[in-house]
Amino acid sequence: MTDAGTPLAIALTNCAKTFADGTKALEPLDLAIHAGETVVFLGPSGCGKTTTLRIIAGLEEPDAGGKVLFDGVDVTHLPIEQRNVGMVFQSYALFPNMTVAGNIGYGLKIRKVADAQVKARVSEMLAMMQITKLADRRIDQLSGGQRQRVALARAIAVRPRALLLDEPLTALDAKLRDTLRLEIDSLLRSLGITAIYVTHDQAEAMALGDRIVVMEHGRVAQIGKPREIYQRPATRFVAEFIGTMNRLTGAVKNGVFTCKAGSLAWSEAPANTTEILFRPEDIRVAEGHETTGLQGKVAAAFFLGDRTRLFVEVGEAQPLVIESTARRDFSHGDAVGLAIDPRGLLVL
Amino acid sequence: MKRRGLFLLQLGFTLLVCAFLVVPVILSMLAGLTVNYFIGVESGLTLRWVMEVWNGYRETIFLSIGLSLACLAVTLVLGVPTAYVLAKRQNALTRTLEEMLVLPVAVPGLATALALIVTYGSLSGFRTSWAFILVGHVLFTLPFMVRSVLAVLSAIDLKTLEEGAASLGAGFWPRFRDIVLPNCRQGILAGSLMVVTLSMGEFNMTWLLHTPFTKTLPVGLADAYASLRLEVGSAYTLVFFLMIMPLLLALQAFAKPRPAKFVAEETE
Ligand SMILES: Nc1ncnc2c1ncn2[C@@H]1O[C@H](COP(=O)(O)OP(=O)(O)OP(=O)(O)O)[C@@H](O)[C@H]1O
Ligand SMILES: [Mg+2]
């Protein structure tokens, strides 16, 4: 496809942002985004995802000392209209005074592309997003999902050097979100474009990101591939923000971790460990004949069809969450033995 | 059947109110067409009075039209950008400005006129030109333009729309032309309607500001009522009506929102 020129590498160095009212939205931040990759900014509300994206787009300038580099060229003071980045807004920002086709062709008209070429490109975009028959509709005659497609088509039509998406699916219902997420994923891959995708939905982040930037309070908490972030979270915040984390508190002695629920052999345990973390998939309920060092009582069980989600009381502040595939019924108060795979254990 | 009775009652009341308002206007215009008002319509109908008004007061009609169009031009040039800035920059200064915009409307026209005369009355070339009245009219009508454009601009997410256009490569002027102006079209048209009508009909201020050579239509009307036959005054009303009605209708038709067509069914 002719859409991707050479993809753009983006770098932020020392980018902080303090707003006029004194709000410190970003601490000094360094970030390198490789050409052609899809990076997801993930974090709770107010952590600075949008602010970072807007600095990259050129809608905000970083505080003095910060720099934005596109392929090594300093664009810090270049306004957005000269950066050639496509942007998809959470509220879509479609122009109500134009038709769908008018919206998609606007960027090309601004670039003074000949009418015939604009038309061709617009039909190409309409076909690509499967909205050809909406070409002459006004924006207020579209559903949310249709608007999202128009917004994407409009941003891509000008062949931007990078595509920036700020929570593009948040306004849609769950089912539509899944469909569009798949579409966006295959779109970004087929375009080979550098893309930055902002979300606070971790499932979306996992599905779309080549790498995920987890943010917390205006700082980067961790950058890594989805699997790394999930399996090797760098901080407690990351561990708990992404997926479900179980926690046991106790002490280590001679390669054995002891807690209220019993003990667990872990030869590689770091000295003076007082807390261990692990994912629900690294713990299982022991079979009848098996003896394990850990015991608990079922506090709640939810049969989900393919598995049962168990909440098991082990004398900690929070019950353990276990996804059990055992072919048996669980009921409140059942005593269960628990087995943990030491490879999944984390100390943070 | 009780419902029907209530409906008839409401209809009757509405018609009564309409009649109360419309009948004097019709009678007055009719008076402008009768040969002798004191005898009544039996005396016959004539265009004599209308011709007399046309010959005697033609200048006031042209002046009023010119004035209101000039006033419209000035309020468009000043008002639309002002509303844009007020909508875009929300801070203490712009909020104060917005409040102050109602001043010329709240202060009686006579007071504004006096202030203008006291300040600029000695500039004789200016005092005697129609531009002097224009200044008064602009002062009076500008807030209406600004407010109606501002109302529309505040209702749309202007900032994000502009950011969207900018992300597609549009600089300030293309954005203003392609996004801002078309999206506040309704406000501009509604404002224009107000400005032209208000300027055409303004009497208070104009009466003080005018000179014998710069009489507007309403001033001429007062003049005719005060010094000439009732029939001439009434014919004048008729002319005024004929002048302003097509204008109002045209603007109104122009300003009417396009009917929203069917809403798209989900095609996901
Ligand atoms: N224009 C502004 N003026 C002042 N403070 C702002 C402005 N924009 C954002 N902030 C603040 O900066 C911080 C970061 O905001 P930002 O919009 O980047 O968060 P976010 O991670 O995108 O959150 P969300 O998921 O809710 O969109 C927040 O505390 C926010 O209140
Ligand atoms: Mg945000």
Side-chain angles (χ1 to χ4, degrees):
Chain A
M1 201 175 304
T2 51
D3 287 290
T6 32
L8 178 69
I10 300 170
L12 299 183
T13 56
N14 199 29
C15 281
K17 180 71 193 178
T18 313
F19 282 105
D21 64 356
T23 312
K24 196 140 181 53
L26 281 187
E27 303 292 331
L29 178 136
D30 294 295
L31 190 63
I33 293 161
H34 313 314
E37 75 172 335
T38 300
V39 167
V40 177
F41 291 173
L42 175 67
S45 189
C47 69
K49 307 179 295 286
T50 299
T51 306
T52 313
L53 193 75
R54 289 171 64 87
I55 288 175
I56 294 171
L59 289 168
E60 307 280 359
E61 272 193 31
D63 294 349
K67 264 194 191 160
V68 182
L69 306 176
F70 280 10
D71 279 342
V73 180
D74 188 345
V75 294
T76 314
H77 305 293
L78 209 60
I80 182 169
E81 58 263 32
Q82 287 163 35
R83 289 197 190 184
N84 195 14
V85 291
M87 185 118 187
V88 177
F89 298 82
Q90 183 175 345
S91 57
Y92 315 128
L94 297 174
F95 311 133
N97 56 310
M98 297 178 197
T99 60
V100 167
N103 267 274
I104 298 175
Y106 184 71
L108 299 166
K109 288 232 174 76
I110 286 293
R111 285 167 173 72
K112 306 219 167 10
V113 174
D115 280 355
Q117 275 167 282
V118 173
K119 240 180 135 182
R121 179 70 175 162
V122 168
S123 349
E124 189 188 337
M125 286 294 115
L126 287 167
M128 183 174 172
M129 300 310 296
Q130 299 158 32
I131 46 175
T132 302
K133 59 183 183 181
L134 304 179
D136 297 320
R137 292 262 182 98
R138 283 205 324 270
I139 299 310
D140 58 6
Q141 298 169 329
L142 300 180
S143 70
Q146 292 167 338
R147 282 176 209 210
Q148 192 52 70
R149 283 165 209 253
V150 178
L152 270 167
R154 184 179 78 174
I156 297 167
V158 295
R159 299 185 169 90
R161 304 170 71 192
L163 192 60
L164 312 178
L165 307 104
D166 192 356
E167 310 212 19
L169 304 180
T170 310
L172 305 174
D173 64 65
K175 191 153 165 276
L176 192 55
R177 213 154 53 210
D178 285 345
T179 322
L180 273 171
R181 184 170 76 197
L182 279 173
E183 278 184 33
I184 290 179
D185 188 47
S186 58
L187 182 72
L188 294 180
R189 283 182 208 294
S190 71
L191 293 177
I193 193 173
T194 307
I196 303 175
Y197 188 104
V198 167
T199 181
H200 57 246
D201 178 336
Q202 44 141 328
E204 223 165 272
M206 294 280 175
L208 285 174
D210 292 324
R211 287 195 302 156
I212 296 176
V213 177
V214 186
M215 298 185 69
E216 178 195 13
H217 296 316
R219 274 180 242 267
V220 172
Q222 187 174 4
I223 305 179
K225 298 206 168 75
R227 186 173 288 279
E228 285 166 17
I229 300 264
Y230 186 78
Q231 291 178 338
R232 295 283 151 217
T235 66
R236 269 181 93 107
F237 167 79
V238 177
E240 279 164 11
F241 186 72
I242 291 170
T244 308
M245 217 21 129
N246 286 314
R247 183 191 306 183
L248 288 171
T249 52
V252 172
K253 207 172 179 187
N254 305 327
V256 176
F257 179 83
T258 315
C259 60
K260 287 196 184 114
S263 60
L264 166 71
W266 188 21
S267 50
E268 293 143 50
N272 54 49
T273 298
T274 56
E275 184 187 59
I276 56 171
L277 302 168
F278 52 93
R279 298 286 183 191
E281 57 272 24
D282 291 318
I283 181 169
R284 62 184 175 79
V285 175
E287 310 284 334
H289 51 86
E290 203 176 353
T291 52
T292 58
L294 294 169
Q295 265 80 38
K297 268 198 170 59
V298 175
F302 300 97
F303 180 58
L304 301 174
D306 55 341
R307 67 210 139 94
T308 308
R309 178 169 300 152
L310 296 173
F311 290 84
V312 177
E313 196 52 65
V314 286
E316 304 282 338
Q318 298 283 327
L320 300 181
V321 180
I322 302 174
E323 307 281 349
S324 169
T325 50
R327 293 176 174 278
R328 57 165 279 198
D329 270 337
F330 292 95
S331 50
H332 180 80
D334 285 358
V336 285
L338 303 169
I340 298 176
D341 182 348
R343 286 173 301 177
L345 290 177
L346 291 171
V347 174
L348 289 172
Chain B
M1 286 308 99
K2 217 170 164 192
R3 266 225 173 131
R4 203 177 149 75
L6 192 66
F7 171 75
L8 286 177
L9 207 70
Q10 282 171 339
L11 184 70
F13 183 69
T14 311
L15 287 178
L16 208 69
V17 172
C18 286
F20 183 73
L21 294 171
V22 171
V23 166
V25 178
I26 293 176
L27 283 184
S28 170
M29 290 194 297
L30 207 59
L33 294 172
T34 47
V35 174
N36 188 324
Y37 175 72
F38 295 101
I39 300 173
V41 188
E42 303 89 275
S43 63
L45 293 175
T46 174
L47 279 178
R48 182 179 147 208
W49 312 122
V50 174
M51 288 320 291
E52 220 163 274
V53 167
W54 181 249
N55 291 330
Y57 290 93
R58 197 165 37 205
E59 300 307 319
T60 71
I61 295 167
F62 292 141
L63 180 63
S64 267
I65 294 175
L67 203 55
S68 64
L69 291 180
C71 186
L72 175 60
V74 176
T75 51
L76 280 176
V77 169
L78 295 179
V80 177
T82 306
Y84 174 72
V85 172
L86 290 181
K88 201 87 184 279
R89 305 223 180 287
Q90 289 287 334
N91 56 37
L93 181 70
T94 56
R95 273 190 289 274
T96 318
L97 256 169
E98 215 182 310
E99 295 304 321
M100 278 178 34
L101 264 177
V102 295
L103 274 184
V105 185
V107 172
L110 288 177
T112 314
L114 269 176
L116 281 175
I117 290 172
V118 168
T119 317
Y120 303 112
S122 51
L123 306 170
S124 65
F126 181 45
R127 173 72 184 89
T128 52
S129 84
W130 61 275
F132 194 56
I133 302 178
L134 178 63
V135 170
H137 280 204
V138 167
L139 268 181
F140 176 55
T141 56
L142 187 60
F144 291 92
M145 179 61 85
V146 175
R147 294 217 146 222
S148 69
V149 176
L150 191 57
V152 174
L153 285 182
S154 317
I156 58 176
D157 188 359
L158 186 68
K159 181 164 168 272
T160 314
L161 284 184
E162 270 202 76
E163 287 179 351
S167 77
L168 294 167
F172 176 78
W173 290 110
R175 240 151 48 206
F176 193 74
R177 181 194 62 207
D178 302 334
I179 309 302
V180 180
L181 284 184
N183 282 305
C184 59
R185 177 172 161 273
Q186 295 302 326
I188 292 177
L189 288 174
S192 304
L193 180 69
M194 290 292 275
V195 167
V196 171
T197 327
L198 287 172
S199 169
M200 275 268 191
E202 211 295 323
F203 176 74
N204 279 349
M205 192 193 280
T206 320
W207 183 71
L208 263 190
L209 295 179
H210 88 278
T211 65
F213 305 103
T214 55
K215 254 186 224 162
T216 66
L217 214 156
V219 173
L221 193 59
D223 217 60
Y225 279 143
S227 56
L228 296 167
R229 294 185 60 140
L230 196 61
E231 290 89 342
V232 179
S234 298
Y236 209 155
T237 309
L238 182 65
V239 171
F240 184 60
F241 225 76
L242 290 178
M243 298 300 320
I244 208 153
M245 274 318 263
L247 202 66
L248 290 185
L249 287 177
L251 277 169
Q252 201 117 47
F254 208 29
K256 201 173 286 169
R258 287 165 297 173
K261 277 181 247 152
F262 61 96
V263 170
E265 74 283 9
E266 197 73 25
T267 51
E268 256 70 40

